[in-house]
Amino acid sequence: MTYLETQQWLYKQLPVFHRIGAAAYKIDISNTVDLLSSIGNPHHCFNSIHVAGTNGKGSSSHLIASILKESGKKIGLHTSPHLKDLRERVVVDGKMCSKNYVIRFVKKFGQRLGNVEPSFFELMVAMAFDYFRNKKVETAVVEVGMGGRLDSTNVLSPDCCLITNISFDHQQFLGSTLEQIASEKAGIIKENTPVVISQTQKETKPVFIKKAAEMNAPIFFAEDNYSIKNSRYEDGYLVVDVYRKKEIYLKDLQCPLCGEYQQKNLLGVIQLVEVLNTLGYKITKKNLRDGIGNVQQNFLLQGRWQKLSDNPYTLCDTGHNEDGLTHVVHQLNSIKKNRLNFVLGVVNDKDIDAEIEMLPKDAYYFLCKANIPRGLDVEILANKFAKRKMNYSVFPSVIQAYKEAQRDAIKTNAMVFVGGSTYTVAEVLSEIQR
């Protein structure tokens, strides 16, 4: 099979959550255990750092991987979902696995699945771990797909865990309260294994403390030890001063990930580095500074407050739930602009009405449907905007909406923003690459 044929086989044969939603969700990790066992348990061959959370876990995973790379280690990185190419989930030292590797893995193990019947996510986890073993990585940074307790990645015995922000998302699987969602995320906490909490939240803090105590796991709340002051934007960087307690720790730290929400992620990552050093990792302040500053070069991260063009000024961000959109809208409102052209496509299993209420009321919306089964029909979305008397036009595809928003922005001196879902952003990024 060619690489394209292999991708098509994977999407056709295996249930894919990011495409079809709940039908692809598995309620335990037995499939993953059986699958990994059938290929020799590759996850026993490298150290790991496990990252969970609602928002920020992808950015944090990339930052950690970049810092570890700067410290001289060979690093594997597994994140999800992918934006343009499924190989984004299987990365070593910043390079995706080869197309030939994917073809060989599917050819070799595809026929061994038997009664396991894995989902797409489960097979990609197995593929990543097998690749990390083959490449002899020293440490793998592994992002949880959803939740934590029942996630396929929770077969790991990591050196350390990180849990980022907790917000409302996937409530049908994880629970209807922040406490319930936090309990699922806390499922990654292992016996005698330190865990770092990036953001202290009154609803979730007791949940994490209780679980850590049960597992005899040292727990560190980053905001108890670190803080950020004097944040600003300079030359395409978020620049901050980091304090440990009351003493300056890193002055003028530059981060190319310019979303204001990255400040919470930075605190968690910096606290994690401190913990890793107590475990025998040798990460200097220079490694820390260079890893954060070079994250885009070391481990390409896309779709996080990313600039797509200067004329017209165009940004995108994958923030798509309550907390993510809160930060996106706040930052959009802080930008001086003549008008905002918002390219918006959402998925059908979110609280769409609540999300629309959060959006800027004075923007002009270019509504569309991402090209996946989970995408919300654009006419349904349009009806919700009509009831609220918000300004919009409807387009048959994401790319048509994007191109028209660009054309109109040039005429009206507007800025363009692309968001609403990971998949809307992914289509635009793929179009730009083409």
Side-chain angles (χ1 to χ4, degrees), residues 295-308:
V295 64
Q296 295 285 32
Q297 298 98 299
N298 289 343
F299 287 90
L300 179 61
L301 177 63
Q302 298 190 83
R304 273 68 166 188
W305 205 257
Q306 181 177 348
K307 184 170 71 171
L308 303 179

Side-chain angles (χ1 to χ4, degrees), residues 117-264:
E117 297 182 356
S119 68
F120 174 86
F121 183 78
E122 289 166 338
L123 190 67
M124 290 305 300
V125 168
M127 185 185 298
F129 292 174
D130 182 70
Y131 188 70
F132 297 161
R133 173 178 60 183
N134 290 345
K135 289 295 183 180
K136 296 180 171 55
V137 306
E138 296 173 75
T139 302
V141 182
V142 178
E143 177 193 3
V144 167
M146 185 198 303
R149 182 175 64 93
L150 300 176
D151 190 76
S152 298
T153 63
N154 206 26
V155 297
L156 295 169
S157 298
D159 291 339
C160 188
C161 301
L162 174 71
I163 302 176
T164 63
N165 158 276
I166 303 299
S167 185
F168 291 106
D169 205 2
H170 302 300
Q171 291 98 308
Q172 66 270 47
F173 306 114
L174 306 181
S176 58
T177 68
L178 291 180
E179 291 86 351
Q180 290 172 337
I181 295 170
S183 181
E184 289 296 316
K185 309 286 186 183
I188 71 166
I189 300 175
K190 303 296 192 303
E191 190 82 29
N192 300 314
T193 302
V195 58
V196 172
I197 311 300
S198 294
Q199 183 178 351
T200 304
Q201 298 166 266
K202 64 178 182 180
E203 300 91 345
T204 64
K205 184 176 182 178
V207 176
F208 295 138
I209 291 174
K210 180 174 183 290
K211 181 65 176 180
E214 291 172 359
M215 305 305 290
N216 195 32
I219 186 168
F220 302 85
F221 289 88
E223 291 177 326
D224 287 349
N225 298 310
Y226 292 94
S227 61
I228 283 176
K229 299 180 182 179
N230 193 27
S231 64
R232 63 272 190 201
Y233 296 96
E234 296 177 1
D235 301 323
Y237 286 88
L238 169 65
V239 184
V240 299
D241 295 336
V242 180
Y243 283 75
R244 194 185 191 293
K245 302 296 186 180
K246 295 182 179 181
E247 299 294 325
I248 188 71
Y249 184 74
L250 290 168
K251 186 170 178 58
D252 299 330
L253 176 65
Q254 294 184 320
C255 178
L257 310 179
C258 288
E260 63 178 25
Y261 52 83
Q262 297 294 353
Q263 296 181 47
K264 299 290 186 183

